[in-house]
Amino acid sequence: VTTKVKGLVEIMPVGKDNFSNLKPGTVLADGDKIRTGPSGFTAIIFIDDKSTLKLKENSEAIINGQRSARSIAKKINMDVGTIRATVNKQNSNFVIQTPTSVASVKGTDFWMITDPVDGDLVIGLEGVISLTNNETGSEVDVTEGNSGISTPDGDVAVEETEESSIPDDPTDQESQQTEIKIYFEGPNGEQKVLIIDYQ
């Protein structure tokens, strides 16, 4: 579910071939594509385990979620942009796939900046992220305070994170949001609202 939208944020629902404006409270389907403009920002929550995704400006990602009895196995296909994933400890997988790498995580918080030419930068804020290069299969573990680099020509490396490389999170300055409102329209045009509280 989309919890926050700022600036230009668009969605191409799975099966459609054009973008429209994304609104807060939108329930996303497996395969929906999200795109943010030059000043766009959006936050998304997975309601099975309260994991969140935040897409910064000039980003493009396809949100995939395979639902099972207890959880959603999450896979984000990202061509370009900057994303923050805060993943709660869970049994199902959480994977971000780019043209250069695969980042797979369990219970962690990290930024991923991907560029088709320069490759990927994974900034570990908490927990462990496994970063695998698609070209060579080389793999490194990225931990808190470190950054993993994966390049299109196959190199992977880990180095200490420079403070200046950590993107600003627009939601850090705000008081933490604890509820989502999802609006539904009934067959007769009546509005209904579902409120999800997640303190």
Side-chain angles (χ1 to χ4, degrees), residues 9-175:
V9 183
E10 296 175 304
I11 180 171
M12 184 191 293
V14 64
K16 298 271 178 26
D17 53 11
N18 52 354
F19 282 94
S20 57
N21 286 340
L22 179 64
K23 297 180 176 63
T26 301
V27 179
L28 301 176
D30 179 31
D32 285 354
K33 188 173 199 172
I34 308 292
R35 180 171 77 181
T36 58
S39 61
F41 174 81
T42 187
I44 294 162
I45 188 166
F46 290 93
I47 53 178
D48 63 328
D49 64 0
K50 314 297 187 289
S51 291
T52 59
L53 278 182
K54 295 171 182 175
L55 270 76
K56 292 203 66 170
E57 67 278 352
N58 300 322
S59 299
E60 203 164 288
I62 297 173
I63 314 294
N64 296 297
Q66 294 296 325
R67 190 188 299 269
S68 64
R70 292 204 177 143
S71 64
I72 300 172
K74 304 158 189 72
K75 183 177 179 189
I76 315 304
N77 287 81
M78 190 153 174
D79 288 336
V80 66
T82 302
I83 196 167
R84 180 177 182 176
T86 306
V87 185
N88 288 332
K89 291 180 171 55
Q90 56 178 8
N91 299 319
S92 65
N93 288 339
F94 194 112
V95 172
I96 298 180
Q97 169 105 42
T98 76
T100 305
S101 323
V102 176
S104 55
V105 292
K106 281 204 163 109
T108 191
D109 186 359
F110 69 100
W111 283 102
M112 184 163 192
I113 302 165
T114 183
D115 180 284
V117 177
D118 297 333
D120 299 331
L121 174 65
V122 170
I123 301 168
L125 303 178
E126 194 181 299
V128 181
I129 306 98
S130 167
L131 180 64
T132 307
N133 187 278
N134 293 337
E135 185 71 25
T136 58
S138 300
E139 188 177 324
V140 291
D141 280 345
V142 183
T143 53
E144 183 177 340
N146 290 307
S147 294
I149 295 146
S150 177
T151 63
D153 59 10
D155 288 337
V156 287
V158 177
E159 57 189 38
E160 197 172 322
T161 299
E162 290 179 34
E163 281 291 319
S164 61
S165 69
I166 302 173
D168 289 330
D169 184 337
T171 57
D172 280 350
Q173 294 84 30
E174 301 169 10
S175 59

